[in-house]
Amino acid sequence: DVYKRQYVASVGADATDDEKKKVDKVIDLPELNGYVKPQENYRVTHDDVVAKAKAGKKTDVEYLGKQEFLYSPQEKAIKVKHVFQDLYNFNKYDKRASEQQIKYTEQTGKTGSMLEVQPLENSEIPGFVPEASQLSTLVPENTENFVVEYRYNRKTFEVDFDTNGGTPIASRQLYYEQTIPTVQEPTKVGSDFVGWKPSVELNDS
């Protein structure tokens, strides 16, 4: 990826010595945000313009040549904001309840290129899944205030109630950190209901 800006210098075939001197200039290459210039400056002379033109294309009335200055893209840091689905408003994304502030990471890419933004590792987001497996963004020239938001949704779990032959209770789909709802006590002939017990070890309330 390169950045191009065009300048034009022209000379006539019958230019006088004074006119040729007017072409003699040192041009400072401009600073372009997000790119590295190939050199500080370039000296243009009458002979240089003529040589470049004759080495280029010829039309019915003129020669046309080019001198390119290729700017290389800089490596830029992109800030990634990681936000998590709220427990009570699924359209809201913010910091996790267990954390004091929103988590930020950085990734790098070259100006003008497409950067594949990666989510956090699974070990860092227990109970959540990335909204997308990866995000693509174009690296801008200025990344100072540029932030990519990565969203994480709550995992869903199926809760089944085994009444051991008693009246059936429909399964419930719950989101991570939701409380298992109170359900109507099942009945069974010849038995008294004494309570529920989990089929797996629970690490939370």
Side-chain angles (χ1 to χ4, degrees), residues 79-82 101-106 120 147-148:
K79 184 179 288 187
V80 184
K81 177 182 179 182
H82 302 273
Q101 57 189 10
I102 291 177
K103 185 178 182 65
Y104 287 90
T105 59
E106 277 190 353
L120 297 171
V147 179
V148 175

Side-chain angles (χ1 to χ4, degrees), residues 14-204:
D14 300 324
T16 64
D17 288 341
D18 286 340
E19 290 172 332
K20 291 179 181 180
K21 289 179 182 178
K22 291 179 181 179
V23 179
D24 194 337
K25 291 182 181 298
V26 174
I27 298 175
D28 291 327
L29 271 62
E31 300 286 347
L32 300 178
N33 194 15
Y35 294 86
V36 179
K37 58 184 176 182
Q39 59 199 65
E40 287 299 318
N41 52 52
Y42 182 78
R43 183 171 184 178
V44 180
T45 66
H46 173 272
D47 292 343
D48 178 59
V49 173
V50 172
K52 291 288 191 308
K54 289 187 175 181
K57 296 179 181 179
K58 183 179 184 301
T59 67
D60 293 337
V61 295
E62 64 181 2
Y63 290 93
L64 178 63
K66 294 182 179 181
Q67 169 64 51
E68 290 188 330
F69 302 98
L70 304 181
Y71 283 66
S72 303
Q74 288 180 335
E75 194 81 15
K76 292 284 188 174
I78 298 292
K79 184 179 288 187
V80 184
K81 177 182 179 182
H82 302 273
V83 290
F84 298 82
Q85 192 175 42
D86 187 78
L87 180 58
Y88 304 104
N89 181 355
F90 288 170
N91 294 319
K92 180 182 176 182
Y93 291 82
D94 205 337
K95 64 179 177 62
R96 281 180 283 197
S98 59
E99 297 179 343
Q100 297 297 316
Q101 57 189 10
I102 291 177
K103 185 178 182 65
Y104 287 90
T105 59
E106 277 190 353
Q107 289 185 230
T108 58
K110 292 188 176 181
T111 303
S113 67
M114 292 300 296
L115 176 65
E116 300 296 336
V117 183
Q118 302 298 321
L120 297 171
E121 296 291 336
N122 289 334
S123 59
E124 298 180 80
I125 53 171
F128 291 88
V129 291
E131 190 173 63
S133 58
Q134 63 181 24
L135 296 177
S136 298
T137 186
L138 187 68
V139 180
E141 295 176 2
N142 187 346
T143 60
E144 184 178 355
N145 298 313
F146 185 76
V147 179
V148 175
E149 185 176 274
Y150 219 125
R151 293 183 171 188
Y152 300 84
N153 293 329
R154 291 177 177 273
K155 286 183 177 180
T156 58
F157 302 90
E158 194 79 15
V159 179
D160 298 315
F161 299 91
D162 181 5
T163 61
N164 194 25
T167 52
I169 297 176
S171 298
R172 301 287 197 277
Q173 179 175 284
L174 300 179
Y175 289 86
Y176 174 64
E177 292 185 319
Q178 272 190 325
T179 301
I180 298 175
T182 301
V183 295
Q184 185 175 355
E185 292 183 1
T187 60
K188 182 178 179 182
V189 176
S191 300
D192 293 322
F193 179 75
V194 294
W196 297 101
K197 64 178 181 179
S199 60
V200 296
E201 183 181 351
L202 299 180
N203 299 317
D204 206 323

